[in-house]
Amino acid sequence: MRFSKFLLKTQKEQPADVDSTAMSYMVRSGMIKKQSAGLFHYMPYFNMIMRRVEYNLRRAMEEADCNEVKFPLLVSKEILDKSGRWTAFGKEMFKLFDRNNAEYAISPTNEEYATLIAGSYIRSYNDLPFSIYQIQKKYRDEIRPRDGVVRAREFTMKDAYSFHADVPDLERYYKIMGDVYTKFFTKLGIKTVPVIADGGAMGGLYCHEYMAIGDEGEAEIAFCDHCHYGANLETVEIKDTYKEDMRFKGRYKEVITPDTKRIVDLVKMLQREPKDFVKSMVYNIGGKLYMILVRGDREVNETKLAKLLKCSEIELATEKEIKSIGSVMGYVGPLGDLKNVRVIADYEIKAMTNFIVGANKQNVHYIDVNNADFKCEWADLRFATDEDVCPVCGGKLKIAKGNELGHIFALGTRYTDKFKTTYVDSTGEEQILQMGCYGIGLERTVASIIDQHHDEKGLCLPASVAPFLVDVIIIDNKKQNQVDVAEKLYVTLEDKGIPVLLDDRDVRAGAKFNDFELIGVPIRVTVGRSLENGEVEIEVRKTGEKLTTKVDDVYKVVNKLAKSL
Ligand SMILES: [Zn+2]
């Protein structure tokens, strides 16, 4: 591609209305143009990267013996009613009417169609396993589209569906697909962590999300490099390794603490650390009152609380309810005569001594409180931190932010039951098929590549996704010998299968260098002054490594460098 003919307009300045680093680089490197909230124009450079991503993805699907299909974008209400998803998807699904007033949705995902196709192709166990995928646009009516292309209203998704004779075969294939995912993301240069997740509207047996690590990620995740454990932070179990300290009793005394309903005010007044306090929160859970205790610098993990009490309706208690247990809002604590409330403390409090709690009286706290001073039940009620250990192997736990790129589901018979999709087994009996589904969002995958591969000057694209491996820069367009050599390199490298961007624009050399850095071509070949010695300069974008080489050796050198990119 000649830069002079390439529809690529870069911009130096930071764009104003972007909400993430990846988005900022996408705008600056001329990849996308925002139309309105959640809708984008995708420009040539972006589309070229997408084609590289899709190429790698198709190879990955082939490795999982998955066949490419394409379903209609429109799905009738009738079909979505059958699976129950017409209502389950709610307002996120775009709906429309045809001229006969029949209702349709623009498909959010295609479990229904995949099940129908499976039903029409699978007769017996000989046809199994059966696996299909498509790469197709999807539409979602997001309440608040944000993070640029990460949460857009229109996006490209690879959705695959597999069908199996029984659960063990589904599980075998689910694992293969998981391995293929990890390999695919690694090939694109993205570090991902598979985490156990919640199925949401999809339903099914279990599922995993593939989270790309990124500072601006939408979810907090915990993982262990030692045993490959991964989970959403709120679900990470913290084992009870604490020993209750019962040495001290009755040491506590009252301190008058006016206007200190918040821990920050109290910390200031008593000149102590937040971790010297025990936070006592009163909740109304399913109509019953609970006092939940966590260390002052922790938050109550409501996901764990809901699971412990087997109830999803969790609300903070009202002032009146707090009064009813014999306490005062802002000064709640576990000591004294409390009525109609179950006190549950986080395990960590077992190891605390001489701490501070509310005294259940207006403007009063107790200091030097100890475990022997009150009664409670114990549970795991906080969020894990990087000081905690992996619940599986006991190794060091890492905490990071992540963006969901892929989601795989062992669905079981959730859809095949509804559509009566069966096969005939080896004994001639009819059986319901087991099903799995496997998605990857492609624009957000590109965003994660950018997230993980940039520096202050711009992108450093991995060779596996870079549209051009080499940027050939002509320093001075007025010097005919530079133009001739650059043109010759362009043709020779392209002939040998190396994609080249020939920067033949009549602009300052500095502008060409800046664009090379901003759009992140892996290798730069500069045709300039050293041509007098029959040499050109080569630079590797990622490492900044520079070398000079004879014009005739450029292919050899580039080819060797590319292997490490
Ligand atoms: Zn581990």
Side-chain angles (χ1 to χ4, degrees):
M1 174 68 73
R2 289 170 190 279
F3 212 141
S4 60
K5 310 285 180 216
F6 192 25
L7 178 52
L8 180 81
K9 298 277 174 259
T10 58
Q11 81 180 55
K12 231 186 194 160
E13 311 74 36
Q14 200 79 333
D17 60 340
V18 297
D19 43 17
S20 74
T21 305
M23 175 70 177
S24 166
Y25 280 116
M26 277 185 184
V27 172
R28 290 184 57 206
S29 61
M31 288 187 203
I32 58 172
K33 240 186 160 38
K34 188 170 168 179
Q35 174 58 43
S36 57
L39 290 178
F40 298 91
H41 298 284
Y42 294 98
M43 303 312 286
Y45 195 50
F46 181 89
N47 297 329
M48 291 169 101
I49 295 174
M50 273 288 265
R51 275 207 295 280
R52 301 282 298 152
V53 170
E54 286 180 22
Y55 167 77
N56 284 293
L57 186 52
R58 286 193 165 93
R59 287 184 60 183
M61 287 303 102
E62 216 175 293
E63 218 174 296
D65 298 326
C66 203
N67 285 273
E68 186 167 3
V69 296
K70 203 156 246 179
F71 301 123
L73 265 182
L74 295 178
V75 198
S76 71
K77 178 174 188 292
E78 200 188 340
I79 289 177
L80 284 164
D81 268 341
K82 211 165 170 181
S83 66
R85 291 210 301 168
W86 182 266
T87 39
F89 250 106
K91 289 189 169 165
E92 289 215 341
M93 198 161 64
F94 282 104
K95 296 171 181 172
L96 50 94
F97 292 92
D98 73 5
R99 66 180 68 209
N100 301 315
N101 253 349
E103 254 186 301
Y104 286 86
I106 306 179
S107 76
T109 60
N110 282 123
E111 280 70 14
E112 292 81 4
Y113 277 149
T115 308
L116 289 171
I117 288 294
S120 66
Y121 281 86
I122 300 166
R123 290 280 163 270
S124 79
Y125 64 97
N126 279 321
D127 302 318
L128 296 171
F130 178 94
S131 183
I132 48 180
Y133 78 99
Q134 64 169 346
I135 296 176
Q136 173 88 290
K137 282 271 184 180
K138 294 279 185 288
Y139 294 81
R140 245 166 242 178
D141 195 356
E142 293 280 352
I143 305 178
R144 278 177 297 276
R146 60 183 169 84
D147 300 339
V149 301
V150 171
R151 204 163 278 280
R153 308 212 289 172
E154 179 189 271
F155 54 94
T156 314
M157 190 166 146
K158 184 281 300 175
D159 41 333
Y161 307 88
S162 71
F163 296 85
H164 307 270
D166 48 30
V167 173
D169 195 61
L170 166 61
E171 289 183 333
R172 177 194 63 83
Y173 190 80
Y174 184 88
K175 200 177 167 309
I176 289 174
M177 198 54 109
D179 292 345
V180 161
Y181 267 40
T182 300
K183 204 170 144 190
F184 165 69
F185 289 125
T186 306
K187 173 89 187 175
L188 301 191
I190 309 174
K191 159 116 179 119
T192 55
V193 176
V195 305
I196 305 155
D198 173 35
M202 304 290 292
L205 307 173
Y206 52 85
C207 63
H208 283 84
E209 286 173 345
Y210 281 73
M211 307 294 289
I213 306 295
D215 293 342
E216 298 170 344
E218 55 191 355
E220 278 202 287
I221 56 168
F223 60 99
C224 166
D225 282 336
H226 198 67
C227 72
H228 301 298
Y229 164 82
N232 279 313
L233 185 61
E234 71 261 21
T235 65
V236 178
E237 187 198 344
I238 303 163
K239 295 252 164 72
D240 180 14
T241 52
Y242 305 96
K243 243 185 93 186
E244 206 174 342
D245 195 334
M246 300 296 274
R247 287 174 296 167
F248 316 112
K249 192 175 163 59
R251 282 186 171 190
Y252 64 90
K253 5 183 199 313
E254 275 186 20
V255 283
I256 305 300
T257 52
D259 302 322
T260 52
K261 286 189 179 179
R262 297 178 312 153
I263 289 250
V264 273
D265 303 323
L266 197 56
V267 163
K268 230 187 198 165
M269 177 179 284
L270 298 178
Q271 304 263 307
R272 301 282 289 270
E273 302 275 321
K275 66 175 174 47
D276 300 331
F277 294 78
V278 164
K279 213 184 321 193
S280 312
M281 311 280 288
V282 185
Y283 283 93
N284 180 335
I285 302 171
K288 289 185 182 144
L289 297 176
Y290 296 84
M291 187 186 295
I292 305 301
L293 311 182
V294 291
R295 206 169 80 178
D297 56 340
R298 310 291 195 199
E299 295 300 322
V300 175
N301 183 329
E302 294 187 359
T303 308
K304 287 183 178 177
L305 190 55
K307 207 172 150 197
L308 176 77
L309 300 172
K310 297 185 181 65
C311 186
S312 58
E313 291 157 47
I314 293 188
E315 277 178 72
L316 280 171
T318 61
E319 194 160 0
K320 207 172 146 197
E321 285 166 338
I322 291 173
K323 217 170 164 187
S324 81
I325 65 165
S327 186
V328 184
M329 199 172 207
Y331 298 90
V332 175
L335 272 65
D337 287 331
L338 296 162
K339 294 175 292 254
N340 303 321
V341 67
R342 248 173 90 185
V343 182
I344 313 176
D346 179 64
Y347 291 137
E348 191 178 30
I349 291 170
K350 288 187 179 181
M352 290 176 72
T353 52
N354 301 326
F355 43 87
I356 303 156
V357 299
N360 299 316
K361 287 186 255 188
Q362 186 73 29
N363 297 340
V364 184
H365 279 85
Y366 289 131
I367 58 168
D368 293 336
V369 176
N370 285 284
N371 277 295
D373 293 327
F374 62 94
K375 287 204 163 47
C376 66
E377 300 165 55
W378 298 102
D380 168 22
L381 291 170
R382 66 181 173 93
F383 293 89
T385 71
D386 53 11
E387 287 162 20
D388 291 305
V389 296
C390 165
V392 176
C393 76
K396 188 157 172 42
L397 201 61
K398 290 186 179 170
I399 312 283
K401 286 201 165 168
N403 278 312
E404 177 197 336
L405 300 188
H407 205 158
I408 65 176
F409 299 81
L411 291 170
T413 58
R414 156 92 171 77
Y415 294 88
T416 46
D417 257 341
K418 297 250 166 67
F419 286 85
K420 303 273 168 287
T421 319
T422 58
Y423 73 100
V424 177
D425 72 11
S426 55
T427 63
E429 290 276 319
E430 213 171 335
Q431 304 282 359
I432 292 278
L433 285 158
Q434 295 288 333
M435 180 178 181
C437 80
Y438 318 87
I440 289 180
L442 297 194
E443 286 85 359
R444 46 171 62 211
T445 296
V446 174
S448 284
I449 295 171
I450 293 169
D451 216 20
Q452 295 188 10
H453 297 273
H454 70 266
D455 59 21
E456 71 286 355
K457 292 171 184 162
L459 312 180
C460 311
L461 293 177
S464 58
V465 293
F468 308 106
L469 186 63
V470 175
D471 185 0
V472 175
I473 289 180
I474 306 168
I475 290 288
D476 187 349
N477 284 46
K478 290 177 189 66
K479 297 238 162 77
Q480 196 53 45
N481 65 331
Q482 288 187 18
V483 174
D484 291 345
V485 168
E487 290 278 351
K488 195 177 147 228
L489 279 173
Y490 174 42
V491 173
T492 342
L493 291 173
E494 284 272 351
D495 275 353
K496 290 187 190 281
I498 289 182
V500 176
L501 179 64
L502 173 64
D503 201 342
D504 58 344
R505 293 175 300 167
D506 194 11
V507 297
R508 285 183 308 108
K512 297 182 181 182
F513 289 137
N514 287 344
D515 279 344
F516 153 73
E517 287 171 336
L518 180 55
I519 69 173
V521 181
I523 298 168
R524 163 167 74 85
V525 175
T526 309
V527 187
R529 206 176 293 158
S530 48
L531 208 52
E532 290 163 14
N533 311 318
E535 287 178 334
V536 292
E537 191 187 271
I538 292 183
E539 184 185 329
V540 178
R541 172 68 183 92
K542 201 167 107 188
T543 58
E545 181 191 349
K546 278 183 194 156
L547 51 110
T548 48
T549 184
K550 293 278 174 212
V551 175
D552 290 341
D553 291 338
V554 169
Y555 170 69
K556 218 164 65 192
V557 174
V558 161
N559 212 20
K560 199 173 154 207
L561 286 171
K563 290 204 169 80
S564 63
L565 299 169

